[in-house]
Amino acid sequence: MSSRDSYHLWHPDILGIFQAAKAQGAPVTLQSHMRLDAANEADVTMRCGITAVRGQVARFRADGYDFSFGNRAPQDPGCTYAFAVDLPRAIRDVIRVEYEGRATILDRALGRNNLPKALELRVSLPSRIRRRRRHDRIPCRPGRVEGAGLVLVEAPPRRPQDLARLMEAAAAQGAPQLLNLSVSGACLLAGEAIRQKLMAAQERYLVAFTPLTPARTPRPLAFLGRKVGVYPRPGGRAALRIRFSEELDWNGDELRWLNIERNGSPVLARLLRHWETLDAEEAARAAEAEEKAREERAAIEAEAERACDLGLPVAFLDEEEP
């Protein structure tokens, strides 16, 4: 068994996980309560990269700093570390795992303002290990999809007419509301008929929807997946989290299902990039409008101030005339 295959989520080898973080260029967060000068000290958060690993000793390069004037971080030379790495879970799957633990600063090289620019730490086994999402979730805002459907299936449909019958059954159960999407899954509000069957663990779901984009396709996107979480909502429908395992590839009169468990859907990746571009453009327009409004307010205030200096009567635009 290779060293890459020997990682275990709950019993990590400390040398192995730090070597993996170094090989992947994983950003590391270090926190320590440090003295800044003769009169001041603070919690210092350092953004670092790993430059060398030897046993339980690791060297770090500090690339940035943040300061908080509290006393929450361990006292220097104590510190905490946190980073995330990708580890293989199976032949066709990779998981994102976050490690957190404590360390002792053995040596440091000081740079500007007497802040550490390089550190040598003796690290301990992680005190906290948790699995992280590998892909960002993008909100599915109103007007972005139509014709969403969710239905339980026993086997993947192989013909277009089989898929059409399933989608008719999904429509009869009520359209789900897509809350967000990632390249590997979806979170949605399930209809009442689906809610009654959420306790079983191994259901297979068919999720389908048509994205509303300028390059709109005549056929919906369809995915097969399994439930990974159910989140109750007070006074409302249950939010269902599904991880996709297969994506529909339309192939004439035959439906072909492609395995996307490892890397997610390339089609969804393009769609989510399009949504992110729309969000960025909308944010830029909002920022531009706010800046324009701020400049107009500043001009009005400057004009009012000039009028006051000259002893002229001042009338604001939003005031009513007597």
Side-chain angles (χ1 to χ4, degrees):
M1 180 181 294
S2 69
S3 60
R4 178 173 172 80
D5 294 330
S6 65
Y7 295 122
H8 193 285
L9 179 59
W10 305 115
H11 300 286
D13 170 73
I14 192 166
L15 175 62
I17 62 171
F18 274 88
Q19 285 179 332
K22 177 179 180 295
Q24 294 177 24
V28 182
T29 299
L30 299 178
Q31 287 188 317
S32 182
H33 188 82
M34 294 181 169
R35 182 165 293 281
L36 304 179
D37 52 39
N40 296 294
E41 54 186 39
D43 289 345
V44 182
T45 301
M46 292 166 278
R47 298 180 295 279
C48 302
I50 301 175
T51 58
V53 181
R54 186 181 68 254
Q56 282 189 260
V57 176
R59 293 178 182 173
F60 298 83
R61 176 194 66 254
D63 299 320
Y65 310 89
D66 290 311
F67 305 94
S68 174
F69 291 93
N71 194 13
R72 298 176 179 270
Q75 188 72 35
D76 184 13
C79 69
T80 60
Y81 65 82
F83 60 87
V85 294
D86 292 323
L87 301 181
R89 182 179 65 176
I91 294 176
R92 307 178 71 175
D93 196 10
V94 175
I95 57 175
R96 185 89 168 150
V97 181
E98 183 179 84
Y99 295 95
E100 295 180 7
R102 287 181 171 267
T104 301
I105 301 174
L106 302 177
D107 195 11
R108 71 196 79 195
L110 299 181
R112 188 175 180 182
N113 296 326
N114 285 327
L115 290 170
K117 66 177 181 180
L119 302 102
E120 186 173 85
L121 274 61
R122 182 175 66 246
V123 295
S124 61
L125 279 171
S127 58
R128 183 182 179 192
I129 305 171
R130 68 185 182 98
R131 179 172 172 169
R132 292 182 54 183
R133 293 194 308 269
R134 292 176 53 220
H135 306 293
D136 291 335
R137 299 176 186 175
I138 307 300
C140 189
R141 304 190 191 284
R144 287 188 167 177
V145 301
E146 70 176 8
L150 171 70
V151 65
L152 286 164
V153 296
E154 295 182 359
R158 298 298 178 186
R159 298 177 303 169
Q161 50 267 42
D162 297 334
L163 178 63
R165 281 195 294 270
L166 285 172
M167 296 314 298
E168 289 176 5
Q173 294 176 356
Q177 178 187 348
L178 282 167
L179 300 178
N180 57 60
L181 283 169
S182 73
V183 299
S184 59
C187 186
L188 45 83
L189 296 182
E192 185 62 31
I194 294 291
R195 285 185 64 191
Q196 304 304 320
K197 303 176 183 180
L198 290 180
M199 296 306 294
Q202 296 300 320
E203 305 106 327
R204 177 181 286 186
Y205 292 91
L206 172 68
V207 181
F209 58 90
T210 301
L212 300 176
T213 63
R216 179 177 172 180
T217 58
R219 291 171 170 172
L221 303 181
F223 303 89
L224 295 172
R226 296 195 183 277
K227 177 188 66 181
V228 292
V230 179
Y231 311 100
R233 292 162 57 92
R237 294 178 289 171
L240 176 65
R241 184 70 191 166
I242 294 177
R243 179 176 297 128
F244 297 145
S245 58
E246 295 165 271
E247 177 182 24
L248 175 59
D249 178 32
W250 293 87
N251 187 23
D253 293 333
E254 214 173 293
L255 304 182
R256 183 172 59 173
W257 295 92
L258 306 178
N259 188 293
I260 58 170
E261 282 186 304
R262 181 168 185 173
N263 297 315
S265 163
V267 175
L268 279 180
R270 291 193 294 271
L271 174 64
L272 298 184
R273 283 197 297 270
H274 173 68
W275 286 359
E276 287 179 320
T277 300
L278 293 180
D279 289 342
E281 291 173 350
E282 182 179 346
R285 286 193 297 268
E288 183 179 354
E290 175 60 27
E291 178 64 19
K292 184 177 180 181
R294 189 189 65 79
E295 292 176 352
E296 290 176 350
R297 289 194 300 269
I300 292 172
E301 291 171 359
E303 182 64 23
E305 185 177 350
R306 188 184 68 83
C308 287
D309 291 342
L310 296 176
L312 300 175
V314 178
F316 294 98
L317 297 179
D318 58 348
E319 289 184 347
E320 295 183 358
E321 293 184 1

